[in-house]
Amino acid sequence: MENKFEYLGDSQTNSMASTERYEGSSTCKESSVYDFGRVRDMIPARVVLYILSFTGFVVSFMMRMDINIAMVSMVKYLPQNNSTSNSTPSAICASDENTIFHDPKDGETKADEGEFDWSPTVQSTIIGSFYWCYILSQIVGGVLTQHFGTKAVFGGSQLITAICSLLIPVAASFHYGAIIALRSIQGIASGLTWPAMYAMVGLWIPTVERSRFMSSFQGFSFGIGITYPLAGFIIANFGWRVVFYTTGSIGIIWCFFWYLYAFDSPTTHPRISSQEFQYIQGSVGTAAGLSEGASVPWKSILKSMPAWSIGITTFGRIWVHYVFIVGGPTYMKTIFGLSIEANGVLSGAPFIFSYFSSVVFCYVADVLVRKQLMSLTNVRKLFTMFSQVIPGVLVLLIGYLGCNIVLALVAWSIAVTLITAAYAGAMANIIDIAPNYAGPVLAFAQTIHMTASFLSPIAAGLLIEDSQTLDAWKNVFGLTACVACGTYVVYQIFGTSEIQPWNYPDNKYPQSTSEDSQPLNDSPNHKSKIVIRRPSNHSAGV
């Protein structure tokens, strides 16, 4: 009996030990989950939003720009005859000292490399169809965002664009009209993205952080920068169809993460810390507290010279930008004689650099404002000048550098890099003047300035229609310099950072806003300076 009790005791002891081990294992598991939750909570929701914004614009512009370089391999191509009266050997930079840049197959006929007999007019129509429809959807994007929120509008537009990218190879085999239809749908969908994201910034990001956060919008530069060399590599090894399958698939994968982690405002975010929530509400809550469905003061926006000045000056910047984006690969092919791989790398590299420069520009702008070294208005004007006046001068210089490929590429890279200063300038100014209506104001400005996205290539095409010589391209670059510098003058006169009276419906002004200077990954302290910001009835700069 004693042995039996001893056995039972041992059995119970073993059972209890087993139970303790099980419970201990469960406790460890719960602790692990808890630790993961703590790590997750250490990442501010604003940082997650920055990552989503940056990658969203990367993906958006990958799907937008892939066709620019894919078109080179899609169509049948015959080199220009240099023996014509309108073209001389000195117009093409194909000489022995520049062979490092050239396509080894330049002397061969490339008519058999493409599949489609599309004229230059058809090609420009395919590319331009995106931008015509893109402009038409700007106002719609602002209105839809006011009613449905950024999460639905931005995510939905990306999904539609991705599906269209996947269908482009099939459409190309059917008829070029089918590609035009798909590109038009992509343009309409993509036109919704910028107004939607601007509206979210007004609700999420404090004033002193906005310049830095705006660098996330430079994901588009990164998108262009990686698309050109990636597409060149894919075309050379797998064919042009795989380019669209790649960008479309990336777009759909991104939409999944957007759906999981994006939220329209701090009040709807389920995982935001109470400390971060209070910081955001104290900084922007009173200034951007409109409910969805609020009416947009379109008449006041249309009469606002600060809003008009933003649209006009960015028209000049977009004009310069699209000379590089659309005309760049053509110039490098017809003037420099680059292979598709070299063309892709050298066309895309400056846009990679421009993303990193945008981070620097936006950080410097925040420092200037936070330390009160310059007024916010003057900061916006300074960086707007960097973004279009200097690039305008450099693009003119490129034409006169002629066949000095190294210096031309250096000037090219500097110009593209400086263009991104606009996101610490006029583009950030949109949120300054109307945080409650950032989406609609951006839609208004985009309707003006994105007309340059197709007018610039059209003007370039007309100027080089007879012959793609250096002299013809000098005319393109000269016109570009005039547009860039001329439009900036309007912003210098009428630009301001003052919140406009129509930003507040029914004259419901905020009581205060917090002027905290904490970076995105820091928590606010208790020494934030509180100031009263009243809208100005004038539009003069500070």
Side-chain angles (χ1 to χ4, degrees):
M1 288 293 293
E2 184 177 356
N3 291 337
K4 181 177 180 181
F5 282 123
E6 287 178 356
Y7 174 78
L8 288 175
D10 292 340
S11 179
Q12 290 175 351
T13 301
N14 292 336
S15 177
M16 291 176 63
S18 177
T19 302
E20 288 175 357
R21 283 196 300 270
Y22 174 77
E23 291 176 350
S25 176
S26 177
T27 301
C28 290
K29 183 176 181 181
E30 291 176 0
S31 176
S32 177
V33 173
Y34 177 71
D35 289 342
F36 174 77
R38 290 182 60 186
V39 171
R40 183 189 64 192
D41 292 340
M42 290 174 62
I43 303 175
R46 303 185 321 285
V47 172
V48 175
L49 181 59
Y50 182 97
I51 295 171
L52 289 172
S53 175
F54 172 77
T55 55
F57 283 110
V58 168
V59 172
S60 178
F61 274 74
M62 288 183 71
M63 296 185 291
R64 181 187 306 192
M65 297 298 169
D66 51 9
I67 199 168
N68 289 350
I69 195 164
M71 186 71 73
V72 176
S73 295
M74 292 171 68
V75 300
K76 294 181 179 179
Y77 170 78
L78 287 173
Q80 183 178 340
N81 184 1
N82 288 339
S83 63
T84 63
S85 59
N86 292 328
S87 179
T88 63
S90 62
I92 304 298
C93 304
S95 58
D96 291 339
E97 66 262 22
N98 289 327
T99 53
I100 186 173
F101 296 102
H102 295 147
D103 187 349
K105 298 181 181 179
D106 276 348
E108 300 176 9
T109 300
K110 300 186 179 181
D112 58 341
E113 290 188 5
E115 298 181 31
F116 308 108
D117 287 310
W118 295 339
S119 67
T121 302
V122 170
Q123 296 176 47
S124 62
T125 302
I126 291 172
I127 294 175
S129 60
F130 178 99
Y131 299 102
W132 304 336
C133 297
Y134 182 87
I135 294 169
L136 295 176
S137 63
Q138 293 298 306
I139 299 297
V140 176
V143 174
L144 289 178
T145 301
Q146 290 294 121
H147 286 275
F148 301 105
T150 297
K151 181 171 185 175
V153 175
F154 194 92
S157 67
Q158 294 278 74
L159 180 61
I160 292 171
T161 304
I163 293 172
C164 289
S165 289
L166 294 173
L167 294 175
I168 283 178
V170 177
S173 300
F174 178 70
H175 191 269
Y176 67 79
I179 300 184
I180 293 175
L182 289 175
R183 289 284 293 174
S184 298
I185 295 172
Q186 285 185 316
I188 293 173
S190 295
L192 309 177
T193 56
W194 289 83
M197 187 54 70
Y198 264 79
M200 182 174 276
V201 172
L203 296 172
W204 270 96
I205 308 302
T207 301
V208 295
E209 292 181 354
R210 284 177 185 165
S211 291
R212 276 170 291 169
F213 188 89
M214 293 297 291
S215 67
S216 70
F217 287 35
Q218 281 302 309
F220 86 82
S221 295
F222 208 84
I224 298 171
I226 63 175
T227 298
Y228 284 165
L230 176 63
F233 173 79
I234 291 175
I235 292 169
N237 292 277
F238 306 104
W240 62 266
R241 286 178 172 83
V242 180
V243 172
F244 298 102
Y245 295 144
T246 300
T247 57
S249 298
I250 292 173
I252 290 178
I253 293 171
W254 178 89
C255 288
F256 174 75
F257 288 97
W258 173 262
Y259 175 78
L260 290 179
Y261 297 109
F263 298 91
D264 288 321
S265 67
T267 57
T268 61
H269 198 297
R271 296 182 296 273
I272 189 172
S273 68
S274 59
Q275 190 177 28
E276 184 181 12
F277 178 79
Q278 291 172 4
Y279 169 50
I280 295 173
Q281 289 299 101
S283 301
V284 302
T286 55
L290 292 184
S291 60
E292 291 181 0
S295 60
V296 179
W298 288 113
K299 289 184 179 180
S300 297
I301 294 174
L302 290 172
K303 294 178 182 178
S304 173
M305 284 309 300
W308 274 98
S309 69
I310 293 172
I312 291 172
T313 195
T314 48
F315 176 92
R317 178 182 61 84
I318 293 295
W319 188 289
V320 178
H321 216 180
Y322 274 76
V323 164
F324 292 115
I325 291 174
V326 177
T330 301
Y331 186 81
M332 290 191 179
K333 179 63 183 177
T334 60
I335 303 300
F336 294 161
L338 303 182
S339 67
I340 191 168
E341 293 92 343
N343 196 335
V345 171
L346 294 176
S347 294
F351 292 97
I352 297 289
F353 300 149
S354 70
Y355 164 70
F356 295 104
S357 70
S358 73
V359 176
V360 175
F361 289 138
C362 292
Y363 175 78
V364 172
D366 276 348
V367 170
L368 292 175
V369 173
R370 186 172 67 248
K371 294 187 176 181
Q372 299 182 355
L373 299 177
M374 295 180 66
S375 69
L376 183 58
T377 294
N378 287 334
V379 167
R380 299 305 186 213
K381 290 181 178 180
L382 175 66
F383 284 92
T384 301
M385 183 271 292
F386 284 152
S387 72
Q388 54 189 98
V389 175
I390 299 178
V393 174
L394 288 175
V395 75
L396 183 64
L397 177 63
I398 289 171
Y400 287 94
L401 287 173
C403 290
N404 192 328
I405 295 180
V406 174
L407 286 181
L409 290 175
V410 169
W412 191 295
S413 297
I414 294 174
V416 173
T417 299
L418 288 175
I419 287 173
T420 61
Y423 288 85
M427 295 303 288
N429 195 199
I430 292 172
I431 306 172
D432 297 332
I433 67 172
N436 282 334
Y437 297 104
V441 173
L442 177 71
F444 169 74
Q446 289 254 80
T447 302
I448 298 172
H449 71 237
M450 283 309 296
T451 55
S453 64
F454 67 85
L455 291 178
S456 178
I458 288 175
L462 291 174
L463 291 172
I464 62 175
E465 183 176 9
D466 294 333
S467 63
Q468 295 194 19
T469 62
L470 280 173
D471 287 338
W473 277 100
K474 284 179 184 178
N475 294 332
V476 173
F477 297 150
L479 175 61
T480 300
C482 291
V483 172
C485 298
T487 53
Y488 170 73
V489 174
V490 178
Y491 185 71
Q492 179 63 36
I493 297 172
F494 296 105
T496 180
S497 64
E498 294 292 329
I499 297 179
Q500 300 302 291
W502 43 265
N503 178 70
Y504 303 104
D506 302 323
N507 294 323
K508 295 180 180 178
Y509 301 127
Q511 296 300 314
S512 66
T513 57
S514 174
E515 217 175 45
D516 200 306
S517 61
Q518 297 300 320
L520 285 176
N521 61 345
D522 286 348
S523 301
N525 56 39
H526 298 287
K527 298 181 180 180
S528 300
K529 181 180 178 182
I530 306 297
V531 297
I532 302 297
R533 292 190 68 196
R534 292 288 185 180
S536 172
N537 290 322
H538 59 81
S539 52
V542 174

